Amino acid sequence: MAPPTATTTTAAAAETTAASTAGVRPRAAGAAKAAGATSTPKQSRQPGDELLIPKRAPVSRAAPRSDFMWQETDEPHSVRRRLMLKKYPQQIRALMRHEPLTVAVVLGEVALQMALAYAFRDASAAVTSWRFWACAYVVGGTVSASLLLSVHEITHFLAFRSFLANKLLAVVANLPIVLPFCVDFKRYHMDHHRFQGVDGVDGDLPTELEAHLFNSTVGKLVFCATQILFYAFRPKLVATAKTYRMPRSAWEWATSWYAMNYAVQFLVMAAVYRYWGLGSILYLAVSVLLGGSLHPMAGHYLAEHYVTNAGQETYSYYGWLNILAFNVGYHIEHHDFPNIPWTLLPELRKIAPEFYDMPQCPSWTWMIIDFIRTPGMGPYSRIKRKQDVAVDEKLSMPAVVDDVSAPAYVGKEDQ
C-alpha cells in the first residue's frame, strides 16, 4: 500500500509529526531543518543526540488503523551504534565477545524436551491426558520458545568463535522444533537488522493481507494464537533476501547448510517416530505451537516492534521472563549491538543509560492482552519504509550463499 496521502486522519497526522522527530536517521543532511524541526538537547547530551530518543507521544488507541506507519527515514540503530561507540568506545567493545553459557543452556533444554517427548511416546494415552497438555504448555511451550530464541542468539555467532561450531549448535537447538528452520532463519533475520522496516525485505513485517484480515478483535485473537506460523512461513513467501541468497543450483543446495539442516532434522524426527512413537512427535509439535501462541513467552513477538509510542519502532522489556528468553527483551540494546551476547546486554544499558531513556514494554503477557483488546492496536501498528529509503551502501552489497565456504558476512551483517 502506498504511503499515507493528504487525506490522512488527524490522529495519523499527529503520529507522523511525532515520528518525524522520533530519532530516526535523516536521508540527507539538513532534512530536519527543511522540515522545520526543532529540538532542545537535554543536559549532559552531546549535540545530535536528540535524534536518538523518540519523544513520548503515545499513538491513538481509540480507532482501528487502516494503514501502516510509513517513514521516509532509514532505521535508527546504525546511527545510534556509531554515536554510542564514539562516546563509549572501550567500554562497549569490551562487551563484544562470545558466551559459552549459551552452549550449556541449549544442550540442557534440548535434553529436557527430548526426555519429555520420550515420556509422552504413547500417542493414544498422551493426547487424552491433561498432564500432556499442561506439560506441553507450561514446560514444553516455554522450552520451545527459549530454543527458538537460542537460535536467534546463535545466528549472530555469539556462542563460539568458530563459524562452523555456531552452525552446528544451531542445528542441535533446532532438533526439538520438529521442522528445520535455523538456516533459513539466519537468511531473513540478518535482513531484519540491516533493513528494519523495509517493505518486501524485512520478513518480520506483517503483509497488507495479514493486516487487513486480522485487524478486528477476533482477527487479532486468531493472529496471536497462530503467530508462530506467520513468522515461520511469511519470510519464505514475501521477503526478498538481500544479505544472503538461496542456493541457485541443485549442487549448490545439496552442499549447503540448508541441505544439512533438512537432512539432520528429518532423520532425527524419523528416528524418534520409529523408536519412540507418534506421541513424541505430537508432544514436540504441540509444544512449539503453544509456546508461539497465547503464551507469555510469545509476547516478545509483539513487544519488540509494534508501535505504542509514535515514531519508536523498537522496544525493550526488562522483566523476569528474560531469564528464560536469552535476554531478548533487551531488544533496543540488541538492535544497537547485535554482536554483544545476551548475558552482557544489561551491562550495555548500564554503560549508556541516557541512550535507553525511552518507553518500554512492562509485560509480555499484558502486551498480548492489550494488542487484542485495544482497537487502535493491530497488525497495522508497524513502521514501514520503501526500499529506496534504505541507504545505498546497504542495497548495493551483493548477497552471498550462507555456507561455511563463504562466510563473507560474518561480523558484517549489521553494518
Side-chain angles (χ1 to χ4, degrees):
M1 180 175 286
T5 65
T7 60
T8 307
T9 64
T10 302
E15 290 173 12
T16 303
T17 301
S20 69
T21 59
V24 290
R25 182 179 181 178
R27 292 188 65 190
K33 292 181 180 179
T38 59
S39 60
T40 304
K42 296 181 180 179
Q43 188 175 1
S44 78
R45 297 275 289 281
Q46 297 295 321
D49 280 4
E50 66 273 13
L51 295 175
L52 305 175
I53 307 298
K55 292 184 175 180
R56 295 179 184 269
V59 297
S60 173
R61 297 165 59 88
R65 296 188 60 86
S66 59
D67 195 4
F68 295 100
M69 304 172 185
W70 293 89
Q71 283 192 359
E72 295 187 357
T73 50
D74 193 24
E75 58 85 19
H77 297 284
S78 56
V79 172
R80 286 173 55 86
R81 187 177 307 124
R82 285 194 290 270
L83 290 173
M84 292 172 73
L85 281 172
K86 183 177 180 180
K87 191 170 184 179
Y88 304 104
Q90 294 181 340
Q91 299 97 313
I92 292 178
R93 291 190 185 281
L95 303 179
M96 299 176 184
R97 57 179 187 261
H98 302 88
E99 179 50 79
L101 180 60
T102 303
V103 183
V105 175
V106 167
L107 295 179
E109 290 183 336
V110 170
L112 175 60
Q113 269 298 81
M114 299 307 280
L116 289 171
Y118 178 78
F120 289 111
R121 61 191 180 278
D122 185 345
S124 58
V127 296
T128 58
S129 168
W130 67 268
R131 292 182 178 85
F132 171 89
W133 294 100
C135 188
Y137 183 87
V138 177
V139 181
T142 302
V143 174
S144 293
S146 182
L147 283 170
L148 288 170
L149 292 170
S150 77
V151 171
H152 166 261
E153 182 75 7
I154 300 164
T155 285
H156 290 286
F157 301 110
L158 294 175
F160 296 100
R161 286 186 178 277
S162 164
F163 176 90
L164 177 61
N166 279 290
K167 301 297 283 188
L168 292 175
L169 182 63
V171 171
V172 172
N174 193 157
L175 292 178
I177 309 302
V178 181
L179 296 177
F181 82 97
C182 67
V183 174
D184 223 21
F185 176 79
K186 179 175 180 60
R187 178 177 64 89
Y188 66 78
H189 186 68
M190 293 301 99
D191 285 340
H192 168 60
H193 275 271
R194 296 179 61 228
F195 301 98
Q196 180 176 314
V198 176
D199 195 29
V201 179
D202 183 356
D204 191 69
L205 293 167
T207 63
E208 171 63 30
L209 179 62
E210 290 172 61
H212 179 74
L213 292 177
F214 301 106
N215 205 30
S216 65
T217 300
V218 174
K220 289 185 288 183
L221 177 63
V222 174
F223 182 77
C224 289
T226 58
Q227 60 184 319
I228 187 66
L229 300 178
F230 290 100
Y231 275 83
F233 296 109
R234 181 198 299 134
K236 296 176 180 291
L237 299 175
V238 303
T240 301
K242 296 293 184 181
T243 303
Y244 292 102
R245 66 170 174 83
M246 289 291 290
R248 293 174 176 170
S249 66
W251 173 252
E252 200 173 73
W253 194 92
T255 57
S256 72
W257 281 100
Y258 289 94
M260 195 273 286
N261 184 200
Y262 277 64
V264 171
Q265 191 67 33
F266 287 133
L267 284 172
V268 170
M269 289 299 102
V272 168
Y273 176 77
R274 171 67 177 81
Y275 296 105
W276 292 358
L278 179 60
S280 297
I281 301 293
L282 288 176
Y283 169 77
L284 294 174
V286 170
S287 294
V288 173
L289 292 174
L290 292 179
S293 60
L294 301 176
H295 190 286
M297 290 285 283
H300 80 89
Y301 292 117
L302 303 175
E304 292 167 357
H305 297 292
Y306 279 83
V307 178
T308 57
N309 188 63
Q312 181 179 339
E313 56 189 300
T314 310
Y315 299 80
S316 284
Y317 156 79
Y318 300 117
W320 68 271
L321 282 174
N322 277 309
I323 299 172
L324 306 172
F326 291 87
N327 276 342
V328 77
Y330 287 78
H331 213 66
I332 303 174
E333 292 85 347
H334 170 66
H335 270 263
D336 287 342
F337 291 96
N339 53 348
I340 293 179
W342 60 281
T343 52
L344 297 176
L345 291 175
E347 292 300 315
L348 173 63
R349 187 182 179 218
K350 292 178 181 177
I351 290 170
E354 69 276 21
F355 286 86
Y356 298 103
D357 180 22
M358 61 183 75
Q360 57 190 251
C361 173
S363 166
W364 282 346
T365 302
W366 182 251
M367 183 66 188
I368 297 174
I369 296 171
D370 202 38
F371 181 85
I372 294 171
R373 74 185 185 96
T374 304
M377 287 289 290
Y380 279 120
S381 300
R382 289 293 297 265
I383 288 175
K384 279 193 175 186
R385 42 183 61 89
K386 295 295 184 181
Q387 291 196 26
D388 60 359
V389 171
V391 293
D392 293 339
E393 59 266 26
K394 289 183 180 179
L395 289 171
S396 63
M397 294 176 71
V400 297
V401 180
D402 181 19
D403 63 31
V404 73
S405 65
Y409 277 83
V410 177
K412 300 180 183 179
E413 294 91 341
D414 312 301
Q415 291 180 353

